[in-house]
Amino acid sequence: MSQANELLLPARATICEVAPRDGFQAEKEWIPTEQKVRIVRELAKTGIRYMEITSFVHPKAIPQLKDAEEVVRQVQDLPGIHFRALVPNVKGAQRAIDAGLKKLKLMLSATDSHSLANANCRVEEALEGLYPIVELAAKHGVQVGGSISVAFGCPYEGNVPVERIMHIVERYQAMGVNEVSLADTTGMANPKQVYEMLGQLKAHFPQITFSMHLHNTRGMALANAVAALQQGITHFDSSVAGLGGCPYAPGATGNIATEDLVHAFAEMGVETGINLDAIINVAKDVRETLGHDGGSYMLQAGPCSQLHRKPQGQVKLET
Amino acid sequence: MSQANELLLPARATICEVAPRDGFQAEKEWIPTEQKVRIVRELAKTGIRYMEITSFVHPKAIPQLKDAEEVVRQVQDLPGIHFRALVPNVKGAQRAIDAGLKKLKLMLSATDSHSLANANCRVEEALEGLYPIVELAAKHGVQVGGSISVAFGCPYEGNVPVERIMHIVERYQAMGVNEVSLADTTGMANPKQVYEMLGQLKAHFPQITFSMHLHNTRGMALANAVAALQQGITHFDSSVAGLGGCPYAPGATGNIATEDLVHAFAEMGVETGINLDAIINVAKDVRETLGHDGGSYMLQAGPCSQLHRKPQGQVKLET
């Protein structure tokens, strides 16, 4: 096959499971600590090696994650899993470090509107607030990754200029952070935008490892993941059973489901190291445990590989 | 922006609305003729110019479409809409021509298993059966388009080799059919496969116009549409409100929703000539009329352009 006719994708991609943080935090009903721990332990059996385990935020901000320390303590024994936790401030960072986390993820919004709604301060203030966290982490030899929420579109301001993202990545680089997660927080990204923004970011920041945090709010998450793969991006966040939701679109699907991402990548020959049947079974358990899922095609239709017995007689005409 | 960093897509794409055929035929509850006609008339106001209006199949095979002639008769006055109808055999073709249709769409499966289940004969028999339809159409100066069901994967046989599709397209070309719709009937296609198969088909059949008929059964329809756009494909089928369903996956979404396709294309600067707000309103009406939709992100979350008022105070932390 001529290369012109080949869609060139990386042979491997790394998926970070974020349901224990981004998924659970969206749940209204309290999830008992033992259930959280059980799900994390099941996830660890699927081949997942990276997990965003919780967020060390003020319990009043997100009561669902008030058991952060306890969850971390009860999964410390899991071998070969790289845990990270989201930290909104120095206090949260200290709690995460005290709990034994070896990697922290920073929070930041691309726009002032979202930053004010989400963190009660403008982007520049928020950026300043990150320095002491990075210093604290360095002092304890703890890794730090950055993130940019609403990087591809803001539900309040709409389009986010690439220059704005460039500026924030520069600031991250200046503080010694060389991993940046680009979050399509409310599912506003499209594949052309993702491909072109990543192309520019990669050209300007060859030292930075970019990862994609995609929500499927408008059905474009998988298309955006493929666009990112076409740019050589190999790090993705996803959430088992599609947990996560979107506070701006009731009933809308949330994070791209880990099982859907693993399935699509496997179909395209992109190896994730995650067992599809195993992750689908965890998704089923999560749906049963929480009473719902957040939008999962694998839970609805199952994988392509699941063939059907030929029906006797004629079925409805279909094309 | 360097071309290397640009995702090159066609400036325009043509969407054929198939809900009146592929959508309605999947509905268990009888849809009164006047409701079918009303929805078709609403669709005609959105900028849609191509519509698969019905299927001239035996009423016992699909009772829902037994009013094919009547529906066609009642929408004949609509200006500027190119109607086509699916025809399974010569009898259906004659009915369609008698009803005044100027374009027929042929049915054919890529695999014997699906062909036997769907049309009670093997692919080669089915191909032979197409010749008299094409002759009849030629005699009446009526256009004919071909289609290949389960072109990217068969729910009974799994993978469909590209050679098989090549063979069928050759047969179509031999009978003078220069339009072929490639149908991912049960949502088994992936973007890499779509991109690469289309590349090979375009290289071998430069005279043939290929169109994509995508189902979103496994969440890959939009990613597949983008892969097709990247190959320069500009003809797509879709179904308002995502009507269509998939007989093999209860509860699974069906055809890609016209409003989701129009939205994604518009976000990427691919002009369809269809008004997004108008098609979303028709989708809402369809959902209300039928009591459900077939999977529509626009109905769940609305378009990206629909911004939100900045909430007072702080909302839940999200990335």
Side-chain angles (χ1 to χ4, degrees):
Chain A
M1 180 160 48
S2 78
Q3 183 165 321
N5 283 343
E6 193 172 353
L7 195 69
L8 295 168
L9 304 177
R12 281 173 195 67
T14 301
I15 291 177
C16 179
E17 173 59 51
V18 299
R21 196 281 303 174
D22 202 8
F24 291 170
Q25 82 174 24
E27 294 299 313
K28 304 271 169 294
E29 289 280 310
W30 168 249
I31 306 167
T33 305
E34 57 268 31
Q35 280 185 17
K36 290 173 179 152
V37 169
R38 180 174 57 78
I39 292 167
V40 169
R41 289 185 167 280
E42 284 185 25
L43 286 166
K45 293 180 197 153
T46 65
I48 286 169
R49 287 292 165 263
Y50 296 83
M51 239 187 276
E52 194 163 290
I53 185 71
T54 188
S55 180
F56 287 89
V57 294
H58 195 291
K60 282 192 182 137
I62 305 180
Q64 182 64 261
L65 300 183
K66 68 186 179 191
D67 58 358
E69 279 87 353
E70 190 54 25
V71 170
V72 172
R73 194 182 65 74
Q74 293 189 33
V75 299
Q76 279 298 306
D77 62 304
L78 285 170
I81 309 288
H82 305 273
F83 290 111
R84 77 183 187 211
L86 191 68
V87 296
N89 49 40
V90 175
K91 189 159 187 301
Q94 188 62 64
R95 284 174 60 200
I97 292 166
D98 294 345
L101 268 294
K102 296 282 171 264
K103 183 159 187 176
L104 312 180
K105 186 179 164 196
L106 305 175
M107 267 180 47
L108 191 76
S109 297
T111 66
D112 284 333
S113 304
H114 189 267
S115 188
L116 284 162
N118 206 34
N120 259 332
C121 64
R122 300 187 177 282
V123 174
E124 286 305 317
E125 289 174 74
L127 275 163
E128 290 307 318
L130 299 181
Y131 283 88
I133 303 178
V134 173
E135 284 165 23
L136 182 69
K139 206 175 75 185
H140 292 81
V142 166
Q143 282 186 298
V144 173
S147 73
I148 307 177
S149 297
V150 301
F152 300 92
C154 171
Y156 311 123
E157 298 184 21
N159 179 49
V160 174
V162 64
E163 294 69 25
R164 177 139 200 83
I165 304 304
M166 295 266 196
H167 167 72
I168 294 173
V169 175
E170 265 167 28
R171 297 289 298 271
Y172 268 131
Q173 196 170 39
M175 63 181 81
V177 173
N178 56 18
E179 282 182 40
V180 177
S181 165
L182 303 169
D184 185 27
T185 309
T186 61
M188 294 174 72
N190 69 72
K192 184 174 172 67
Q193 172 193 27
V194 166
Y195 184 87
E196 293 173 356
M197 187 188 282
L198 286 172
Q200 289 177 277
L201 290 172
K202 280 178 59 189
H204 282 72
F205 305 101
Q207 321 304 350
I208 301 278
T209 300
F210 292 100
S211 65
M212 297 294 289
H213 179 100
L214 299 166
H215 283 236
N216 199 35
T217 317
R218 290 168 182 89
M220 289 189 276
L222 261 173
N224 291 331
V226 174
L229 285 173
Q230 285 183 255
Q231 278 287 15
I233 300 298
T234 57
H235 291 74
F236 296 84
D237 290 351
S238 61
S239 178
V240 67
L243 294 185
C246 170
Y248 308 99
T253 54
N255 287 277
I256 185 166
T258 303
E259 59 275 19
D260 291 344
L261 196 60
V262 169
H263 174 262
F265 281 12
E267 288 292 312
M268 296 187 292
V270 179
E271 179 53 54
T272 62
I274 300 172
N275 181 285
L276 181 59
D277 295 335
I279 190 69
I280 290 174
N281 286 332
V282 178
K284 287 176 181 170
D285 180 9
V286 166
R287 180 177 57 183
E288 199 179 322
T289 302
L290 304 182
H292 69 91
D293 63 80
S296 163
Y297 285 97
M298 289 301 102
L299 288 179
Q300 281 189 306
C304 292
S305 57
Q306 188 181 295
L307 299 184
H308 298 256
R309 188 178 298 109
K310 186 184 167 313
Q312 299 311 307
Q314 192 169 344
V315 301
K316 79 158 65 66
L317 297 169
E318 43 166 16
T319 62
Chain B
M1 179 161 46
S2 78
Q3 185 164 319
N5 283 342
E6 192 173 354
L7 195 70
L8 296 167
L9 304 177
R12 281 172 196 68
T14 300
I15 292 178
C16 179
E17 173 60 51
V18 299
R21 196 282 301 172
D22 203 7
F24 291 169
Q25 81 174 23
E27 294 298 313
K28 303 270 167 298
E29 288 280 310
W30 168 250
I31 307 168
T33 305
E34 56 269 31
Q35 280 186 16
K36 290 173 180 151
V37 169
R38 180 174 58 77
I39 292 166
V40 169
R41 289 184 166 279
E42 283 184 25
L43 287 166
K45 293 181 198 150
T46 65
I48 286 168
R49 288 292 164 263
Y50 295 83
M51 235 187 277
E52 193 163 293
I53 186 70
T54 189
S55 179
F56 287 89
V57 295
H58 195 290
K60 282 191 182 139
I62 306 180
Q64 182 64 262
L65 300 184
K66 68 186 180 193
D67 58 359
E69 279 87 353
E70 189 53 25
V71 169
V72 172
R73 194 182 64 72
Q74 292 188 33
V75 298
Q76 279 299 306
D77 62 303
L78 284 170
I81 309 288
H82 304 274
F83 290 111
R84 76 183 187 209
L86 190 69
V87 296
N89 49 39
V90 176
K91 190 157 186 305
Q94 188 62 63
R95 284 175 60 202
I97 292 166
D98 294 344
L101 268 295
K102 295 282 171 266
K103 182 159 188 178
L104 311 181
K105 187 179 164 195
L106 305 175
M107 267 180 49
L108 191 76
S109 297
T111 66
D112 283 334
S113 304
H114 189 267
S115 187
L116 284 163
N118 207 34
N120 260 331
C121 65
R122 298 187 178 282
V123 175
E124 286 303 319
E125 289 174 75
L127 275 163
E128 289 307 318
L130 298 180
Y131 282 88
I133 303 179
V134 173
E135 283 165 23
L136 181 70
K139 207 175 74 186
H140 291 81
V142 167
Q143 284 186 297
V144 173
S147 74
I148 306 176
S149 297
V150 300
F152 299 93
C154 171
Y156 311 123
E157 299 184 20
N159 178 49
V160 174
V162 65
E163 294 68 23
R164 175 137 201 85
I165 304 304
M166 294 268 196
H167 167 71
I168 294 172
V169 175
E170 262 167 31
R171 296 291 298 272
Y172 268 131
Q173 194 170 40
M175 63 182 82
V177 173
N178 57 17
E179 283 182 40
V180 178
S181 165
L182 303 168
D184 185 28
T185 309
T186 61
M188 293 174 72
N190 69 71
K192 184 175 172 65
Q193 172 193 26
V194 166
Y195 184 88
E196 294 173 357
M197 188 187 282
L198 286 172
Q200 289 177 277
L201 289 173
K202 280 178 61 189
H204 282 71
F205 305 100
Q207 320 305 348
I208 301 276
T209 299
F210 292 100
S211 65
M212 297 294 290
H213 178 100
L214 298 166
H215 283 236
N216 198 35
T217 317
R218 291 168 180 89
M220 289 190 275
L222 260 172
N224 291 332
V226 174
L229 285 173
Q230 286 183 255
Q231 278 287 16
I233 300 298
T234 58
H235 291 75
F236 297 84
D237 290 350
S238 60
S239 178
V240 67
L243 294 184
C246 170
Y248 308 98
T253 54
N255 287 277
I256 185 166
T258 303
E259 59 275 19
D260 291 344
L261 196 61
V262 169
H263 174 262
F265 280 14
E267 288 292 311
M268 296 187 291
V270 179
E271 179 54 52
T272 63
I274 299 171
N275 181 283
L276 181 59
D277 295 334
I279 191 69
I280 290 173
N281 285 333
V282 177
K284 288 176 180 170
D285 180 8
V286 165
R287 180 178 56 182
E288 199 179 323
T289 301
L290 303 182
H292 69 90
D293 63 79
S296 163
Y297 285 96
M298 289 301 101
L299 287 179
Q300 280 188 307
C304 292
S305 57
Q306 189 181 294
L307 300 183
H308 299 255
R309 190 177 294 108
K310 186 183 167 310
Q312 300 310 309
Q314 192 169 345
V315 300
K316 78 157 64 67
L317 296 170
E318 46 167 11
T319 63

